[in-house]
Amino acid sequence: ISGRASGEDFSSYRLQAGQGLNPSGWIIIHGDESSAVENGTLATWDTSELNGLYALQLIVLREEQRVDTATIQVTIDNILPEVSIIHPENEQVFSSQVDKTITFQVEASDNLGLKAVEFYINNQYIATQTQPPFAYPWKTSAGNFELVVKTIDMAGNTSQVTVNFSVE
């Protein structure tokens, strides 16, 4: 966590976090530090096991027992997006005479919002979509194929799913 805790009559600072918009309790992230910080690292906060809305509060104590506080809200998202391929089914076989185009159909969701759904055929990128419905028409050719669909949420978390299919 970067910021500034310094100034005239600086004595010490403390950084704490609480869950929710108006936390009923606080966890000290970095307690009573007497070294001033100017646009640098105030503390390191391990958020790997957290999800949801948190308030971060910086408390700066001045020499005459005056206290300055600054509070910001942060959203922590460690939940992976969900994705499934509806069409084609794994190991499905298509006819190049009948199926000139295959429309890949995907269901994707996330607790806080999706940034993108990406489509790959045999490790080659073919398309990105940012809004549902997540469907992409692909012109067929004969062969064996691996379709990989990757979802990316607003926090950068990713999930992917794969199906194999063939066109004869």
Side-chain angles (χ1 to χ4, degrees), residues 97-152:
Q97 300 298 323
V98 177
D99 302 300
K100 303 291 184 192
T101 301
I102 300 170
T103 300
F104 303 140
Q105 298 174 22
V106 172
E107 286 185 357
S109 63
D110 184 68
N111 62 318
L112 296 176
L114 286 174
K115 180 177 180 181
V117 174
E118 298 176 345
F119 296 82
Y120 298 82
I121 288 285
N122 294 346
N123 294 319
Q124 297 293 313
Y125 166 82
I126 58 170
T128 297
Q129 294 183 334
T130 58
Q131 297 292 321
F134 301 110
Y136 181 78
W138 179 72
K139 187 175 179 180
T140 62
S141 60
N144 295 316
F145 300 95
E146 177 184 70
L147 170 64
V148 175
V149 177
K150 178 180 175 183
T151 55
I152 306 161

Side-chain angles (χ1 to χ4, degrees), residues 3-167:
R4 178 175 168 248
S6 62
E8 203 172 306
D9 298 329
F10 173 84
S11 180
S12 66
Y13 76 88
R14 174 184 298 173
L15 190 61
Q16 55 191 19
Q19 190 170 14
L21 188 59
N22 294 305
S24 59
W26 297 90
I27 298 168
I28 296 175
I29 297 172
H30 192 81
D32 300 335
E33 174 64 50
S34 59
S35 298
V37 176
E38 280 289 337
N39 299 319
T41 301
L42 295 168
T44 301
W45 184 26
D46 180 6
T47 61
S48 61
E49 301 295 320
L50 304 176
N51 282 295
L53 181 66
Y54 284 80
L56 279 177
Q57 187 174 65
L58 175 64
I59 301 167
V60 176
L61 181 62
R62 305 290 174 185
E63 287 179 4
E64 296 174 6
Q65 301 302 311
R66 187 172 52 105
V67 177
D68 295 330
T69 62
T71 305
I72 62 167
Q73 305 296 320
V74 295
T75 300
I76 300 170
D77 180 6
N78 286 307
I79 298 174
L80 299 177
E82 295 182 8
V83 61
S84 62
I85 298 172
I86 305 305
H87 185 75
E89 294 178 9
N90 198 39
E91 304 300 331
Q92 189 168 354
V93 177
F94 295 91
S95 166
S96 61
Q97 300 298 323
V98 177
D99 302 300
K100 303 291 184 192
T101 301
I102 300 170
T103 300
F104 303 140
Q105 298 174 22
V106 172
E107 286 185 357
S109 63
D110 184 68
N111 62 318
L112 296 176
L114 286 174
K115 180 177 180 181
V117 174
E118 298 176 345
F119 296 82
Y120 298 82
I121 288 285
N122 294 346
N123 294 319
Q124 297 293 313
Y125 166 82
I126 58 170
T128 297
Q129 294 183 334
T130 58
Q131 297 292 321
F134 301 110
Y136 181 78
W138 179 72
K139 187 175 179 180
T140 62
S141 60
N144 295 316
F145 300 95
E146 177 184 70
L147 170 64
V148 175
V149 177
K150 178 180 175 183
T151 55
I152 306 161
D153 72 10
M154 299 307 254
N157 300 314
T158 63
S159 294
Q160 71 180 38
V161 65
T162 302
V163 296
N164 295 296
F165 65 94
S166 60
V167 179

